[in-house]
Amino acid sequence: TVVLSASKLAPPANVRVRSGGAKVSKLYDGVTLFHGTHLRHIQEAAIDGDVLTASCLNLSLDTAAAGQFESSRSAINGFAADVMMQAMLVVARAKHGAASLPSKLGSLAWVRAIPPGGQYLLTLETTTTPSGCAGTCTLHDSDGVPYAIGEELVVTVNKDLAFNSAPVPLQIGRAHV
């Protein structure tokens, strides 16, 4: 469902920019994330408790390469929206040691456009249950000013689901994002 409003919304609160946590490696290994080149925005990610932070790059694509996700005419960026769910899959793999697929996105609000080719940050605050993970994800700049906010993001864990038949947990070490 898409909701358009004639009234101007109040700007969302800035996100507290975080650093540190356990670095997540092997993101696009075909086990945790199997996305093609144009969807590989996450450059580096770290998990600290129930918060995943990531440094991301909004790939600069021409109209032909962007296809249905071409975003030069509005703030809506399909590639960056997908990154929110990718982050949920990373948390599910790290917390449950299992593959998962997205099962819900409650709402997605675009506040402003992410500059083409520009860096942006992702902050995902999650809760983990035995059957999956839920969270709120904000894409923002280095000052914490939001580009987009996704709420009620949910992934359901399936211990029998395996990409490349390799149920390998993520490698986690110290990092600064």
Side-chain angles (χ1 to χ4, degrees), residues 90-137:
V90 170
V91 169
R93 172 67 74 183
K95 300 287 184 173
H96 290 284
S100 59
L101 292 171
S103 55
K104 179 181 177 183
L105 170 58
S107 67
L108 179 56
W110 286 96
V111 180
R112 60 192 178 117
I114 300 170
Q119 291 282 344
Y120 65 98
L121 301 174
L122 177 150
T123 299
L124 173 63
E125 297 179 357
T126 64
T127 56
T128 305
T129 67
S131 62
C133 304
T136 297
C137 186

Side-chain angles (χ1 to χ4, degrees), residues 11-94:
N14 287 3
V15 174
R16 183 171 67 92
V17 177
R18 303 169 191 225
S19 63
K23 181 180 178 184
V24 179
S25 62
K26 296 187 177 183
L27 292 168
Y28 296 101
D29 59 359
V31 176
T32 300
L33 299 176
F34 50 87
H35 298 74
T37 307
H38 296 335
L39 289 168
R40 294 181 180 187
H41 281 215
I42 301 174
Q43 305 295 300
E44 184 177 39
I47 298 174
D48 187 8
D50 291 330
V51 178
L52 178 140
T53 55
S55 174
C56 303
L57 176 64
N58 185 29
L59 302 177
S60 185
L61 302 172
D62 62 32
T63 303
Q68 67 182 355
F69 295 124
E70 195 279 319
S71 63
S72 66
R73 293 172 289 157
S74 75
I76 298 170
N77 182 325
F79 293 104
D82 190 76
V83 171
M84 291 183 180
M85 294 310 289
Q86 290 178 34
M88 290 292 295
L89 301 178
V90 170
V91 169
R93 172 67 74 183

